[in-house]
């Protein structure tokens, strides 16, 4: 029993270490991806779909589906979260990039980054900030399923006039990226519970975000390697995209906070609504950009968001609670 407790303690510590330095891992993956792509010229795009599959599959296994029943009893918070994630985030992404960038492919990339569902870090940040973690998990799962239709048609609506959007290709890609790992993850969970009980999943729960994170870093590495020559030959394109990404995420966090305050959500429920809109699953965005917009700068915008999303989430980790709690005190 003591050995199991020690093993769990090690997993928890490793989980915390991995999450604490996630920004470092992201920048390292981008740097080494650039170097690998520039010097080897190897095309690793075939790895993207398997890596995203693994990332989502691993996230599904520890999900307790009983959470859905509990969260659906609070429809106001759920609907506001869906509104912020599915509607407001992509509109802000489109408006910010359209006003500040001349390259319509970059605009499409930012809109794609804003349209995809939130990643596992939404639940992580929500937990660290003392928010409603079940709400964060349900928002992630629901928007993941809805994204099969929502993402292609959001892109078509917002940027279809400027960039050709392959709606059917996006829907097919999302169907593979969403339903296969969802099904596999659910079946794996059922098998583990049947053979070893829920306790076994709880014992290794800290390991799941780490494994999913490694898969996400693999996607970042591949995306950076594919764009290495373009970025190194024209560094201004990524630098301007990073500036726009910083503005975009600042607007996202303040808008999400304003919505939560206007709707009079309590502190716990505000956090997953805010972070759900601002911490998107950019690995899915990269996979879609590579599949649907090859040889374009669409993926560069997503890489810029990858470079900015985690640092901005860390900054607003301190800012958002002060704004929300100030409201509660007053």
């Amino acid at each position: 029993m003591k050995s199991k407790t020690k093993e769990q303690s090690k997993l928890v510590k490793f989980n915390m270490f991995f999450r604490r330095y996630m920004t470092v891992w992201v920048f390292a993956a981008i740097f080494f991806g650039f170097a690998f792509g520039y010097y080897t010229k190897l095309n690793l795009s075939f790895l993207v779909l398997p890596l995203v599959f693994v990332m989502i599959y691993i996230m599904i296994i520890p999900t307790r589906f009983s959470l859905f029943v509990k969260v659906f009893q609070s429809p106001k918070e759920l609907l506001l979260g869906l509104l912020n994630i599915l509607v407001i985030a992509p509109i802000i992404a489109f408006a910010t990039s359209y006003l500040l960038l001349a390259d319509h492919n970059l605009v499409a990339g930012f809109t794609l980054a804003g349209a995809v569902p939130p990643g596992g870090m939404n639940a992580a940040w929500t937990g660290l900030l003392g928010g409603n973690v079940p709400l964060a998990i349900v928002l992630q799962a629901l928007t993941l399923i809805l994204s099969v239709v929502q993402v292609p048609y959001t892109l078509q609506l917002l940027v279809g006039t400027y960039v050709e959007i392959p709606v059917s290709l996006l829907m097919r890609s999302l169907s593979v990226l969403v339903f296969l790992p969802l099904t596999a993850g659910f079946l794996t969970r059922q098998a583990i519970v049947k053979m070893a009980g829920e306790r076994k999943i709880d014992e290794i729960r800290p390991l799941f975000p780490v494994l999913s994170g490694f898969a996400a870093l693999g996607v970042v590495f591949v995306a950076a390697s594919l764009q290495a020559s373009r970025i190194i030959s024209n560094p201004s394109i990524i630098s301007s995209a990073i500036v726009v990404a910083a503005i975009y995420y600042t607007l996202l966090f303040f808008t999400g906070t304003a919505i939560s305050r206007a709707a009079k959500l309590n502190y716990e429920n505000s956090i997953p609504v805010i972070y759900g809109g601002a911490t998107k699953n950019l690995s899915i965005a990269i996979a879609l950009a590579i599949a649907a917009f090859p040889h374009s700068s669409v993926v560069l915008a997503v890489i810029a968001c990858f470079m900015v999303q985690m640092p901005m989430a860390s900054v607003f980790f301190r800012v958002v609670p002060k704004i929300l709690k100030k409201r509660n005190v007053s």
Side-chain angles (χ1 to χ4, degrees):
M1 188 72 178
K2 286 184 178 179
S3 62
K4 281 187 177 181
T5 304
K6 286 183 179 179
E7 287 177 8
Q8 279 184 283
S9 178
K10 288 180 180 178
L11 284 177
V12 170
K13 287 180 180 178
F14 183 60
N15 180 302
M16 291 176 65
F17 173 78
F18 182 77
R19 286 181 172 179
R20 183 179 300 166
Y21 296 103
M22 191 64 182
T23 302
V24 177
W25 312 142
V26 168
F27 276 95
I30 292 171
F31 174 79
F32 287 113
F34 283 160
F36 180 88
Y38 185 74
Y39 288 109
T40 68
K41 312 297 183 186
L42 292 177
N43 189 330
L44 300 179
S45 59
F46 66 93
L47 292 175
V48 173
L49 287 179
L51 284 168
V52 175
F53 176 93
V54 170
M55 181 192 71
I56 297 174
Y57 164 71
I58 291 171
M59 289 190 324
I60 296 302
I61 296 173
T63 302
R64 290 190 179 96
F65 294 95
S66 58
L67 293 175
F68 285 79
V69 177
K70 182 181 178 181
V71 170
F72 273 108
Q73 294 172 354
S74 304
K76 177 182 175 182
E77 292 80 1
L78 186 62
L79 289 173
L80 277 172
L82 292 174
L83 176 68
N84 194 38
I85 293 166
L86 301 178
V87 179
I88 294 173
I91 288 175
I92 292 176
F94 167 73
T96 306
S97 57
Y98 180 77
L99 290 172
L100 298 175
L101 295 168
D103 187 338
H104 289 152
N105 284 312
L106 287 176
V107 175
F110 274 103
T111 308
L112 175 60
V116 293
M121 287 307 294
N122 180 30
W125 287 114
T126 299
L128 290 170
L129 285 164
N132 186 341
V133 175
L135 176 59
I137 293 172
V138 171
L139 283 172
Q140 178 186 342
L142 275 180
T143 52
L144 186 64
I145 294 169
L146 293 172
S147 68
V148 174
V149 175
Q150 171 258 335
V151 170
Y153 283 102
T154 296
L155 287 174
Q156 179 65 37
L157 177 66
L158 294 176
V159 295
T161 306
Y162 315 103
V163 178
E164 185 178 352
I165 306 297
V167 173
S168 59
L169 174 59
L170 285 168
M171 290 183 71
R172 288 197 302 271
S173 299
L174 277 162
S175 296
V176 173
L177 288 173
V178 172
F179 292 119
L180 283 181
L182 271 175
T183 304
F186 176 76
L187 293 175
T188 302
R189 175 185 173 79
Q190 293 298 99
I192 294 173
V193 171
K194 188 174 182 179
M195 291 187 294
E198 185 74 37
R199 184 177 297 178
K200 185 62 180 177
I201 293 179
D202 290 334
E203 287 175 5
I204 59 174
R205 189 175 295 275
L207 187 61
F208 291 113
V210 176
L211 294 175
S212 183
F214 275 123
L217 291 173
V219 175
V220 178
F221 177 89
V222 172
S225 72
L226 293 173
Q227 296 293 318
S229 297
R230 175 177 294 174
I231 291 173
I232 291 172
S233 63
N234 186 14
S236 63
I237 192 170
I238 191 67
S239 58
S240 59
I242 289 171
V243 171
V244 173
I247 296 170
Y248 159 56
Y249 280 104
T250 300
L251 291 173
L252 270 183
F253 276 105
F254 279 120
T255 303
T257 304
I259 290 169
S260 298
R261 292 192 64 172
K264 297 182 179 180
L265 297 185
N266 63 31
Y267 174 83
E268 290 76 14
N269 290 327
S270 295
I271 297 300
V273 170
I274 297 166
Y275 270 80
T279 55
K280 293 302 189 83
N281 195 328
L282 298 176
S283 298
I284 292 177
I286 283 179
L288 293 175
I290 291 171
F293 308 99
H295 315 299
S296 78
S297 55
V298 171
V299 74
L300 286 179
V302 185
I303 291 174
C305 289
F306 245 121
M307 297 174 76
V308 173
Q309 179 172 273
M310 190 63 66
M312 292 298 283
S314 301
V315 170
F316 281 91
F317 177 81
R318 300 185 182 280
V319 175
V320 168
K322 288 180 181 179
I323 297 173
L324 293 176
K325 288 178 178 178
K326 184 178 179 181
R327 190 275 313 267
N328 290 337
V329 169
S330 60

